[in-house]
């Protein structure tokens, strides 16, 4: 694996919000956009960025309320999936990004897919890694969330808030990984995320978690986008995932029958356990669709 490109740490103002982002690669190289998942930050791409930066400009922003980006007052930023998707679009405009491959994982898959739908002509391809849009393939870990979506009670919201903690984050990152893979996952993932929590940020993340049910209405539209536009797509998936098991990966073939699918022996945070394999597959894909 190539891993010698320098990673730069920068900020940009987007609608008055300071957004931190990591970037590797020449400024004139083809762009790979990497929106992160919950409860992580651009830190989840810390090893993939230098693995791509010799040939591509890889850019990973921290969303508001995550990592080193601002946590604005909810009166300025809504902490909904709609707001985050719009912020990602505005981020690409601030950096003058007009053509890109988008890496879709976890919550970042919702933000990234909506960006693709807003400007399909800008999408050179998609890399989909444990980011689901097929409700019939949801895994068992969705059950408590779905109870809240059906009945959004104060008690249910308190349970969401309890999960916004170091222990809750640890459970998200380790998930259903087999014991033999657990020690490959850096504890920095949950400890750094927890260290950055303060009351405003905790409230912001609870607001976002509470809004997740709104994504279901987007699933049919996202599936239609894939069927209609057929963007070149690499699907690389860790099936040891209580939210998004193997069926959630295979479901994409309903709408993208020509997509390239690889199931690796990992889980939701595949870059922690199978970085070399993912980097090799992504580099090969990018070399064909976004040279």
């Amino acid at each position: 694996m190539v891993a010698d490109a320098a990673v730069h740490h920068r900020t940009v103002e987007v609608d008055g919000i300071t957004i931190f982002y990591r970037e590797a690669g020449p400024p004139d190289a083809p762009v790979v956009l990497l929106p992160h998942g919950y409860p992580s930050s651009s830190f989840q791409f810390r090893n993939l960025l230098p693995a791509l930066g010799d040939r591509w400009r890889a850019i990973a922003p921290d969303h508001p309320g995550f990592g080193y980006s601002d946590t604005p007052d909810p009166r300025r930023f809504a902490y909904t999936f709609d707001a985050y998707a719009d912020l990602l679009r505005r981020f690409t405009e601030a950096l003058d990004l007009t053509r890109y491959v988008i890496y879709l994982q976890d919550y970042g898959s919702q933000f990234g897919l909506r960006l693709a739908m807003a400007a399909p002509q800008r999408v050179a391809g998609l890399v989909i890694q444990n980011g689901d849009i097929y409700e019939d393939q949801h895994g068992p870990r969705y059950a408590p969330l779905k109870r809240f979506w059906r009945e959004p009670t104060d008690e249910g919201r308190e349970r969401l808030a309890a999960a916004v903690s170091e222990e809750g984050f640890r459970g998200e990152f380790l998930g259903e990984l087999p014991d033999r893979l657990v020690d490959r996952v850096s504890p920095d993932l949950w400890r750094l995320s927890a260290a950055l929590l303060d009351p405003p940020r905790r409230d912001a993340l609870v607001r976002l978690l509470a809004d997740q049910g709104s994504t279901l209405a987007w699933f049919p539209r996202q599936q239609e986008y894939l069927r209609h536009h057929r963007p070149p797509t690499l699907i690389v998936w860790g099936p040891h995932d209580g939210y998004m098991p193997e069926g959630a990966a295979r479901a994409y073939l309903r709408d993208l029958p020509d997509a390239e699918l690889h199931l690796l022996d990992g889980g939701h945070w595949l870059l922690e356990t199978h970085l070399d394999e993912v980097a090799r597959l992504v580099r090969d894909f990018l070399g064909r669709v976004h040279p």
Side-chain angles (χ1 to χ4, degrees):
M1 181 186 70
V2 176
D4 58 1
V7 177
H8 303 274
H9 305 86
R10 298 178 167 134
T11 61
V12 64
E13 294 291 313
V14 180
D15 296 335
I17 301 170
T18 299
I19 299 298
F20 173 91
Y21 65 100
R22 303 171 198 256
E23 178 175 358
D28 58 349
V31 172
V32 182
L33 185 63
L34 302 119
H36 67 81
Y38 173 91
S40 196
S41 67
S42 61
F43 184 74
Q44 79 179 72
F45 297 114
R46 67 198 180 280
N47 296 317
L48 185 61
L49 290 165
L52 302 179
D54 62 318
R55 291 179 57 187
W56 295 277
R57 183 186 178 195
I59 302 172
D62 285 352
H63 310 311
F66 293 87
Y68 300 123
S69 287
D70 281 353
T71 306
D73 187 284
R75 289 170 292 186
R76 289 185 54 215
F77 184 80
Y79 298 102
T80 62
F81 278 77
D82 286 348
Y84 277 97
D86 187 60
L87 190 285
L88 181 63
R89 179 184 58 81
R90 299 285 290 121
F91 173 80
T92 64
E93 293 171 354
L95 267 60
D96 196 26
L97 308 179
T98 58
R99 183 77 170 163
Y100 32 71
V101 165
I102 313 173
Y103 191 105
L104 304 175
Q105 193 264 352
D106 194 82
Y107 280 15
S109 64
Q110 279 296 309
F111 312 148
L113 266 176
R114 296 189 201 187
L115 174 67
M117 293 165 67
Q121 73 281 3
R122 296 186 173 185
V123 179
L126 303 174
V127 177
I128 304 175
Q129 191 256 293
N130 294 73
D132 60 340
I133 60 168
Y134 297 90
E135 186 179 3
D136 65 304
Q137 295 299 319
H138 277 170
R141 285 196 73 181
Y142 271 114
L145 285 170
K146 290 188 173 186
R147 284 196 295 273
F148 177 78
W149 300 344
R150 290 192 300 269
E151 298 181 35
T153 63
D154 290 342
E155 181 182 359
R157 194 178 183 90
E158 289 174 5
R159 285 194 292 269
L160 292 182
V164 182
S165 63
E166 181 174 328
E167 187 59 28
F169 292 168
R170 182 179 184 275
E172 292 292 332
F173 285 115
L174 297 183
E176 291 68 41
L177 275 180
D179 290 344
R180 58 188 165 76
L181 296 176
V182 167
D183 65 1
R184 297 190 191 184
V185 181
S186 172
D188 294 334
L189 286 164
W190 58 86
R191 289 181 178 169
L192 290 177
S193 292
L196 293 169
L197 279 178
D198 58 17
R201 180 160 286 199
R202 181 176 283 106
D203 177 70
L205 298 188
V206 173
R207 288 172 183 267
L208 179 59
L209 286 170
D211 187 58
Q212 187 178 353
S214 70
T215 64
L216 300 183
W218 278 84
F219 287 0
R221 297 166 63 181
Q222 291 161 343
Q223 294 160 18
E224 172 59 26
Y225 159 77
L226 297 177
R227 281 194 303 273
H228 180 72
H229 291 281
R230 296 289 183 93
T233 301
L234 168 68
I235 305 168
V236 57
W237 206 273
H240 300 299
D241 186 339
Y243 292 109
M244 307 171 194
E246 179 177 331
R250 294 192 180 278
Y252 277 98
L253 300 179
R254 303 172 188 171
D255 299 307
L256 293 170
D258 299 325
E260 179 183 342
L261 171 63
H262 297 268
L263 297 170
L264 305 184
D265 186 25
H268 194 76
W269 304 94
L270 205 53
L271 295 177
E272 294 300 306
T273 59
H274 291 75
L275 174 68
D276 287 354
E277 293 95 322
V278 174
R280 176 179 54 81
L281 290 167
V282 171
R283 288 178 62 86
D284 178 69
F285 175 73
L286 293 175
R288 286 183 278 114
V289 307
H290 200 38

